[in-house]
Amino acid sequence: MKAKRIGALVLSSLMAMSMMACGDSAGSESSDAGASTEGTATEMQGSVEGELTVCIWDENQRPGLQEIIDEWSAESGVKATIQVVGWDDYWTLLEAGASGGELPDVFWMHSNQAQKYMENDMLMDLTDKIAASDKIDMSNYYEGIVDLYQSDGKQYAVPKDIDTIALWYNKTIFDEMGVAYPDETWTWDDFVDAAAKLTNEDHWGYAIAPSNNQDSFYNAVYSMGGEIINEDKTASGYDNPNTVKAIQMFVDMVQDGSCPDLNTVSETKPDVLFESGKVAMVTQGSWMVAAFKDNEYTAANCDVAVLPKDATTGKRVSIYNGLGWAASATTKNPDAAWSLIEWLGSKEMQEKQAELGVTMSAYKGCSDLWVNCTDVFDLNGHMKMLDADLVFRPYSKYTTVWEDMQTEKLKDAWTGEKDVPTVCQEICDSMNQTLSEE
């Protein structure tokens, strides 16, 4: 069986896995194996005079960001060192730091958590500083990311990046199976058909786990005319027939064997299966480029294309998200913290972030430089998704509550214990209860 053949290739790939960047805590299946946990509670405390603590969760981004920050340190005379803390530990330590009044000086904020931190006055209010800045103009950033970090008319973070989702594929497997590479003509029907043709005893056509939301099924849901949450964040979209249709497509692929079963993707995440040559396709975020580039197998065998479009709606949708640079409301060095955030958000440093291949940039137009950060892959697959139907990643005040529930309930559909319409209705009911309490 394929599940028994993962073996050494998977074990080697585990060493190269990336921490999730712009996905969600349970949702994006980028692993935390590549993320350092060298940041401790003590290291995450506020800075002494003349120094700043900077905290992130993605080891792959550290080298480029440290280079950018070192330039700021050379100009400002303030030392700033990045500490990398794995995703789960990151939020645990931030929460502990917030309770104790000792957050890092500067750190990443995410859509899953932003509202809680803003509403509880844990982040520095940047509104007046932005208004007085000659480097930061919020109209230069993608609106959805700007709005994400606003509360009661105040701005609490400067956008760091934007991500898009694209279809990554194994050229070697496609060639061996005689299947044409994905292109802009592909519909979701073509995708399903190709996945079946690419499946044999050695590999599956595609891999998805119930927690792969932003990077996988959310895109199909919105492409097909469904939704996860309504526009004013008051009701679930899981009772929308088109949402059910999209979920059913992926569950059918699991049931017919084109995708690995729940046990397999629970033990070995889809991106690791892809890095091991065990699946022909995955849908993944632009934050995975560094990890895939550094993985010997994917660098030699894989490439990236745009996502399929829906045959009925004609929509090709990428769910996008963006991190924000935020500062602690209680930092002992507020002027230096703002100076660093202003530097990181400036056009020049956003361009450098793209050139170094750290991530795509939240500053409009700067990501054109990102596409040339490597010659290993044709990153136009991700860049073209910026021109698709962009939908901001679904979120609300208690995103983590209903997303964790969503993941758990979808497992029943993956295993066939319950049918998809039943599971979607259960998610809808539970999600609506959570939203009613926000």
Side-chain angles (χ1 to χ4, degrees):
M1 297 295 292
K2 285 173 290 210
K4 296 180 180 178
R5 298 184 181 184
I6 295 170
L9 276 173
V10 172
L11 292 175
S12 64
S13 294
L14 282 167
M15 303 304 296
M17 285 165 61
S18 165
M19 184 52 208
M20 157 188 206
C22 297
D24 54 301
S25 58
S28 182
E29 281 300 311
S30 300
S31 167
D32 59 0
S36 167
T37 56
E38 57 182 81
T40 65
T42 300
E43 289 170 329
M44 290 184 67
Q45 291 178 355
S47 67
V48 298
E49 186 175 353
E51 294 185 13
L52 290 180
T53 52
V54 180
C55 197
I56 67 174
W57 62 73
D58 188 353
E59 177 63 38
N60 288 308
Q61 296 190 42
R62 183 221 292 262
L65 289 176
Q66 189 65 64
E67 182 176 334
I68 291 170
I69 289 174
D70 286 346
E71 288 188 25
W72 173 80
S73 292
E75 288 198 13
S76 67
V78 179
K79 181 181 178 181
T81 303
I82 294 175
Q83 301 293 338
V84 181
V85 181
W87 170 268
D88 291 332
D89 290 336
Y90 183 92
W91 297 109
T92 300
L93 289 172
L94 242 62
E95 193 163 324
S99 300
E102 294 288 354
L103 286 165
D105 297 298
V106 175
F107 49 95
W108 283 350
M109 191 45 56
H110 186 278
S111 58
N112 275 5
Q113 302 282 351
Q115 197 163 353
K116 177 177 72 175
Y117 279 81
M118 292 187 295
E119 290 182 358
N120 287 284
D121 299 321
M122 292 184 277
L123 306 182
M124 182 192 296
D125 177 6
L126 305 179
T127 311
D128 292 341
K129 298 179 186 299
I130 291 170
S133 175
D134 60 359
K135 295 179 181 176
I136 305 296
D137 180 344
M138 302 310 284
S139 67
N140 289 321
Y141 305 90
Y142 290 91
E143 184 178 4
I145 307 172
V146 172
D147 292 347
L148 171 62
Y149 300 113
Q150 288 180 353
S151 180
D152 293 330
K154 297 178 181 179
Q155 190 75 36
Y156 289 94
V158 170
K160 172 194 173 288
D161 53 34
I162 188 173
D163 50 49
T164 61
I165 312 303
L167 179 62
W168 286 80
Y169 64 98
N170 187 314
K171 295 182 291 184
T172 302
I173 294 178
F174 270 74
D175 291 342
E176 288 176 354
M177 303 299 286
V179 178
Y181 296 162
D183 59 27
E184 295 182 34
T185 67
W186 267 32
T187 64
W188 288 108
D189 292 335
D190 295 319
F191 163 78
V192 171
D193 182 59
K197 293 177 179 176
L198 292 161
T199 299
N200 63 16
E201 281 300 308
D202 296 317
H203 44 70
W204 293 273
Y206 177 68
I208 180 175
S211 53
N212 284 136
N213 48 53
Q214 182 195 351
D215 53 358
S216 292
F217 68 84
Y218 278 4
N219 301 276
V221 165
Y222 282 88
S223 174
M224 294 179 185
E227 62 181 6
I228 299 299
I229 190 171
N230 67 352
E231 202 166 313
D232 60 6
K233 307 183 190 308
T234 59
S236 172
Y238 271 91
D239 56 355
N240 185 314
N242 292 317
T243 301
V244 178
K245 175 184 174 184
I247 302 298
Q248 186 71 63
M249 177 183 75
F250 292 111
V251 170
D252 287 346
M253 292 173 71
V254 174
Q255 298 302 322
D256 70 21
S258 297
C259 294
D261 61 19
L262 180 62
N263 285 337
T264 301
V265 295
S266 296
E267 293 175 0
T268 310
K269 298 181 187 302
D271 57 329
V272 182
L273 291 170
F274 185 66
E275 289 175 328
S276 310
K278 293 302 174 183
V279 295
M281 297 183 289
V282 289
T283 45
Q284 260 298 352
S286 48
W287 60 82
M288 287 297 295
V289 170
F292 287 161
K293 180 179 65 175
D294 291 341
N295 179 273
E296 185 177 344
Y297 184 85
T298 49
N301 295 281
C302 302
D303 213 338
V304 58
V306 294
L307 288 178
K309 59 187 175 183
D310 183 65
T312 302
T313 67
K315 286 185 176 181
R316 189 191 319 278
V317 172
S318 174
I319 304 297
Y320 79 101
N321 195 16
L323 305 183
W325 284 110
S328 168
T330 58
T331 175
K332 296 178 177 66
N333 211 334
D335 291 338
W338 162 246
S339 174
L340 177 56
I341 290 174
E342 183 182 42
W343 175 271
L344 291 163
S346 68
K347 182 179 181 181
E348 293 75 18
M349 292 305 110
Q350 286 277 295
E351 288 177 336
K352 183 156 189 173
Q353 172 179 284
E355 286 177 325
L356 292 173
V358 176
T359 54
M360 300 170 78
S361 296
Y363 200 107
K364 295 175 184 175
C366 290
S367 289
D368 292 342
L369 299 168
W370 176 80
V371 78
N372 297 316
C373 71
T374 179
D375 59 2
V376 176
F377 309 118
D378 180 5
L379 297 183
N380 280 300
H382 277 290
M383 287 297 297
K384 289 177 181 178
M385 294 308 298
L386 284 174
D387 298 321
D389 291 291
L390 288 175
V391 173
F392 197 77
R393 181 179 175 276
Y395 72 96
S396 69
K397 185 176 181 179
Y398 300 136
T399 308
T400 54
V401 174
W402 55 259
E403 274 197 348
D404 289 347
M405 172 276 299
Q406 165 188 276
T407 297
E408 286 305 306
K409 289 189 178 297
L410 283 173
K411 290 178 181 178
D412 289 338
W414 253 245
T415 60
E417 185 173 331
K418 295 180 181 178
D419 61 50
V420 172
T422 298
V423 168
C424 286
Q425 189 58 54
E426 288 181 357
I427 295 173
C428 182
D429 294 342
S430 180
M431 188 173 170
N432 282 336
Q433 179 61 40
T434 300
L435 293 174
S436 72
E437 297 169 359
E438 295 189 353

